[in-house]
Every structure is written in C-alpha cells, then in structure tokens.
C-alpha cells in the first residue's frame, strides 16, 4: 500500500495544480460570462467529449494492458492514427449535414458546430498521451501535461472574456487552449519508434495491436459513449425542460463538485490501472491492489461528502456571487452520487483487465435508461435530481460489487497481452 500511496501522491500533486487552475479561473469566468452562455458552452463541451471517445475507438484505455516498450509505442501510434482517420470522417459527415440541412441544429450557433471537430480531436489526442504517460508510470510527466492543458484553456478564456463574454468565445478559446496543450504533451513525451520506419515494418505492428485489443472498440467504445452521454444528458434535459439558467447552475455545481472528486479519482486511476494490470499479468488476479485502493477511496469519499454537505451552500454564494448561490444547493443534492462515482470509477478498470467489457456495456445501457427516465418522468427540477441521484447511485453499488468479483480473476486475460 505504501507504493500505491506514494505514486498516488505524485499524481495527486500534479492533478491538484491542474484542477486548481480552472477552479480559481472560475472566480473570474463566472463574473465575465452569464449563466446562459456558460450553460451553452457546457453542453457543447459535453458533446465534444462524447465525440472524442468515438474518435479513439477507446484504444487508449488498452495502453496500460499492453506490455512496456515497443508494443505500447505502436499502440500509441495505432490509436493516434485511429483518431486522425475518424476526425476526417467526422469532418466529411458534418460538412454534408451542414450543406444539405443548414438549420438542422437551430439552437446551436454554426461556428460552434464547426469548432466541434478540432475540439474533439484535440481532446482525443490529449487523452491518448495522458493514458500513455500513466501506463508508463511517468507520473511527473503526466502531471505536467495536465497543468499545461488547464493553464492554456483557463488563461485564454479569462483574457478573451474581458472583450467577448459569449459562448462562442468560451468554445474558441477552449479549442485553441487544448491544441496548445496537445503540442506541449507531445513535446514532453515524444513518440519514438525504433528501427526502419517503413510501412512494411510499422503496418504489421499496428494491425497486431488492433487485433489483440479488438474488444475495446467492440464493447468499451459504445460503453464509453453511452457513459459520456449519460453524464451530459442532464444538462440537455435541464436546459430544455427547466431553462438555460438552471442548466448553467447545474453545470457550475458539477464543475466545482467534480473538481476535487475528479482530481483524486483520476490520480488513483492512473496508478491503479498500471499496478492492477501488472498484478493480474503476474498472478491472475488483482485482489490486493483492489482492496487497498477501495480502502483509500472509501475514506476519501467520506471526508469529501462531509465537507461538501457542510460548506457548499454558503461557499458558492460567497465565492461566485449571489446569482450562483443555488448552485451550492444543487451540489449538496448531488454529493451522494459523486461520492459513489468517486469510488466506482477508478476501480472500474478491472472490467478492462478481466476482459469483461461486455458486462460493462450492459451496465452502461441500464444507466442510460435510468438517466433518461429520471428527467423524463419528473415533475420538477428538484424531483428530477432526486430520481437521478437515487437511480445512478444504486447502479454504482452494483458496479462496485461486479468489479470486486472480477478482481478475483474471474475473467480472461490471455488474448490481451499477445
């Protein structure tokens, strides 16, 4: 457990810095942009994250499973080529749709639709490089990547917000910031392939990676898209049913609440997936790593829940202004769900290690149905949040039970390492 804690601490320091930047930046951003502009931008960002998952085919999640060395580097190359090819196809599809049906999405400004493509690609490339760094155990490099990405995006949004406080400005600065962050990540961790880099040498390695990790686009890709959609659908439902102001308040609550939880959860995941994958390869199970990680996550979730329930409501009004006070109340409502998510998300990597992506896909489908039902059959904003939290939370309990079962080695591994 000491090694797990030490590695987690290294990642956590970098994550804390990268998460503190947008949180502190929000103090200025919320005074520059109105809730409706922030709500539109939040919904747009949510759609770009869904598209980014599609672009990579979810192959970046397989990098920790692949053994260290040349095979993993070819895996990075294969995943990057997948993202580039998919983004080209996406550009063609958007071009055809916008040409034939220019009013297909009347509620979304046309520039935001076009910015959707480079934003999705830059997010995809960033995720590939961050997963590669975590798979290598290069935690300090990973921290630098995240800090630079957060700094580039937040700084640009603040500077431009003084002159153009619109949703378009938020989106444009987000695209430019993430592109700069990607270039810095590539500089920090360059992709260096050994030997004669001819198509004859590279192509078989790339095809080998695709074949050995074919379960990821088959199961993990739709599961990832559904999960991302499930997390972003509340913003869309709230905006359409209760107004963009309510959507903006919800967006700020989830952004601030998700910051410390995402901070620690991602830090634990970055260490867990490398440590658990290694234990599974060597011993056929990862019970020890799972139990140690579960204990750490449980204690942290309890501490975070107490702090949020006690401080959130007065803190939001004081930090962000009177107009955003209700976001603190929403944060308190959402806290039980975020606590369970904090515990379940890092440990869910066991589904990939044990080759149980199909089971996760079924779980994600049930989650999507639960999310849609929560907002469709609710009579008020508060009731919709209650339904959402209870349904989502119950499914996370099931998720934890399943992940522990598979950590015992009740799943295949062999085809993932060849």
């Amino acid at each position: 457990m000491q090694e797990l804690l030490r590695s987690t601490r290294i990642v956590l320091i970098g994550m804390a810095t990268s998460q503190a930047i947008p949180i502190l930046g929000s103090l200025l951003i919320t005074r520059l942009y109105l809730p409706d502009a922030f709500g539109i931008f939040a919904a747009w960002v949510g759609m770009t994250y869904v598209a980014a998952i599609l672009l990579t085919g979810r192959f970046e999640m397989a990098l920790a499973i692949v053994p260290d060395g040349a095979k993993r580097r070819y895996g990075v190359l294969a995943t990057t080529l997948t993202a580039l090819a998919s983004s080209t196809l996406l550009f063609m599809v958007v071009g055809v749709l916008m040409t034939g049906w220019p009013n297909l999405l009347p509620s979304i400004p046309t520039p935001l639709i076009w910015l959707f493509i480079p934003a999705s690609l830059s997010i995809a490339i960033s995720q590939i490089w961050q997963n590669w760094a975590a798979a290598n155990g290069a935690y300090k490099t990973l921290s630098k990547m995240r800090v630079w990405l957060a700094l580039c995006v937040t700084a640009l949004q603040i500077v431009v917000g003084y002159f153009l406080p619109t949703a378009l400005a938020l989106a444009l600065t987000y695209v430019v910031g993430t592109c700069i962050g990607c270039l810095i990540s590539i500089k920090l961790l360059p992709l260096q392939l050994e030997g004669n880099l001819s198509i004859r040498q590279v192509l078989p390695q790339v095809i080998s990676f695709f074949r050995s990790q074919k379960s990821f686009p088959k199961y993990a890709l739709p599961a990832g898209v559904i999960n991302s959609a499930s997390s972003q659908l509340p913003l869309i439902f709230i905006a359409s049913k209760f107004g963009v102001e309510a959507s903006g308040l919800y967006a700020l609550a989830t952004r601030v609440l998700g910051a410390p939880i995402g901070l620690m959860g991602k830090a634990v995941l970055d260490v867990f997936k490398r440590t658990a994958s290694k234990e599974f390869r060597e011993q056929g199970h990862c019970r020890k790593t799972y139990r140690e990680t579960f204990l750490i996550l449980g204690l942290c979730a309890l501490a975070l829940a107490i702090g949020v329930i006690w401080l959130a409501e007065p803190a939001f009004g004081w930090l962000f202004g009177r107009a955003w006070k209700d976001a603190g109340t929403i944060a308190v409502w959402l806290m039980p769900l975020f606590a369970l998510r904090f515990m379940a998300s890092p440990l869910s990597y066991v589904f990939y290690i044990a080759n149980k992506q199909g089971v996760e896909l079924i779980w994600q489908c049930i989650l999507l149905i639960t999310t849609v039902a929560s907002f469709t059959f609710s009579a008020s904003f508060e009731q919709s949040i209650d339904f959402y939290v209870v349904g989502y939370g119950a499914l996370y309990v099931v998720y934890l039970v399943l992940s522990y079962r598979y950590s015992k080695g009740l799943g295949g591994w062999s085809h993932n390492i060849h």
Side-chain angles (χ1 to χ4, degrees):
M1 181 176 287
Q2 290 182 349
E3 178 63 25
L4 184 67
L5 287 172
R6 186 189 69 81
S7 298
T8 302
R9 185 173 65 251
I10 294 173
V11 179
L12 188 58
I13 293 172
M15 286 287 293
T17 306
S18 66
Q19 291 292 325
I21 292 171
I23 292 176
L24 294 175
S26 295
L27 299 177
L28 288 174
I29 290 173
T30 52
R31 284 167 168 78
L32 295 172
Y33 301 89
L34 294 176
D36 57 345
F38 196 77
I40 294 172
F41 168 71
W44 176 83
V45 168
M47 290 188 291
T48 62
Y49 271 95
V50 174
I53 293 172
L54 287 170
L55 295 185
T56 63
R58 213 57 174 162
F59 283 119
E60 79 280 6
M61 298 300 294
L63 295 177
I65 296 175
V66 178
D68 295 345
K71 284 190 175 182
R72 183 174 294 156
R73 289 194 293 272
Y74 279 109
V76 173
L77 175 62
T79 309
T80 304
L81 292 174
T82 301
L84 292 172
S86 301
S87 62
T88 302
L89 179 61
L90 177 62
F91 176 81
M92 295 169 61
V93 171
V94 171
V96 170
L97 292 176
M98 292 299 295
T99 302
W101 297 273
N103 297 320
L104 183 63
L105 298 171
S107 60
I108 302 178
T110 301
L112 262 67
I113 296 176
W114 288 110
L115 287 173
F116 171 79
I117 301 168
S120 302
L121 178 59
S122 61
I123 293 170
I125 298 298
S126 177
Q127 290 299 316
I128 293 170
W129 251 254
Q130 289 183 22
N131 275 275
W132 181 26
N136 287 347
Y139 301 124
K140 291 184 179 179
T141 300
L142 173 62
S143 298
K144 292 178 182 179
M145 291 178 181
R146 287 173 172 163
V147 169
W148 275 111
L149 180 63
L151 183 62
C152 291
V153 172
T154 305
L156 285 172
Q157 287 182 335
I158 292 173
V159 172
V160 176
Y162 276 102
F163 306 98
L164 189 65
T166 64
L168 176 58
L170 283 168
L172 181 60
T173 52
Y174 183 85
V175 170
V176 175
T178 52
C179 287
I180 296 173
C182 284
L183 293 175
I184 294 174
S185 295
I186 294 171
K187 177 68 174 178
L188 290 171
L189 187 60
L191 180 59
Q192 297 176 337
L193 301 174
E194 299 174 355
N196 180 24
L197 300 182
S198 62
I199 296 178
R200 184 173 297 179
Q201 176 186 335
V202 173
L203 189 59
Q205 297 290 341
V206 170
I207 293 175
S208 175
F209 174 80
F210 285 143
R211 286 177 176 172
S212 64
Q213 307 302 333
K214 60 185 178 182
S215 60
F216 281 85
K218 185 177 180 180
Y219 297 115
L221 174 58
V225 172
I226 292 171
N227 177 264
S228 185
S230 297
S231 64
Q232 299 302 327
L233 274 177
L235 282 170
I236 299 172
F237 275 112
I238 292 170
S240 62
K241 198 170 182 179
F242 306 109
V244 292
E245 183 176 351
S247 177
L249 293 171
Y250 178 88
L252 181 66
T254 54
R255 178 171 179 168
V256 175
L257 191 60
I261 291 174
L263 165 80
M264 300 181 67
K266 287 181 180 178
V268 174
L269 173 60
D270 289 333
V271 177
F272 175 77
K273 60 187 178 183
R274 176 176 173 83
T275 307
S277 295
K278 182 179 179 181
E279 182 181 350
F280 210 109
R281 278 197 299 267
E282 295 174 352
Q283 302 183 27
H285 64 81
C286 55
R287 288 193 302 267
K288 180 175 180 293
T289 302
Y290 187 99
R291 290 171 179 170
E292 292 175 351
T293 306
F294 182 88
L295 178 61
I296 294 171
L297 291 169
L299 293 174
C300 292
L302 179 61
L304 287 169
I306 294 173
V308 168
I309 293 172
W310 184 38
L311 297 173
E313 291 188 77
F316 269 74
W318 179 68
L319 290 173
F320 303 111
R322 189 173 299 177
W324 297 89
K325 184 178 180 181
D326 289 342
T329 303
I330 297 173
V332 174
W333 296 345
L334 293 171
M335 188 58 229
L337 169 60
F338 272 80
L340 285 169
R341 179 183 295 173
F342 170 70
M343 296 180 64
S345 293
L347 296 172
S348 68
Y349 197 77
V350 170
F351 285 88
Y352 300 135
I353 296 174
N355 193 32
K356 291 294 181 178
Q357 295 96 324
V359 176
E360 189 199 17
L361 177 57
I362 296 173
W363 185 88
Q364 295 291 354
C365 290
I366 298 173
L367 177 63
L368 178 62
I369 295 171
T370 302
T371 301
V372 173
S374 298
F375 290 93
T376 301
F377 300 108
S378 57
S380 66
F381 175 64
E382 183 175 352
Q383 187 182 62
S384 66
I385 298 298
D386 289 340
F387 287 169
Y388 179 61
V389 170
V390 172
Y392 219 134
L395 287 172
Y396 268 133
V397 173
V398 175
Y399 208 37
L400 285 167
V401 172
L402 289 174
S403 63
Y404 179 64
R405 171 181 170 82
Y406 298 140
S407 73
K408 297 177 181 180
L410 303 178
W413 169 269
S414 59
H415 78 281
N416 281 330
I417 62 176
H418 297 303

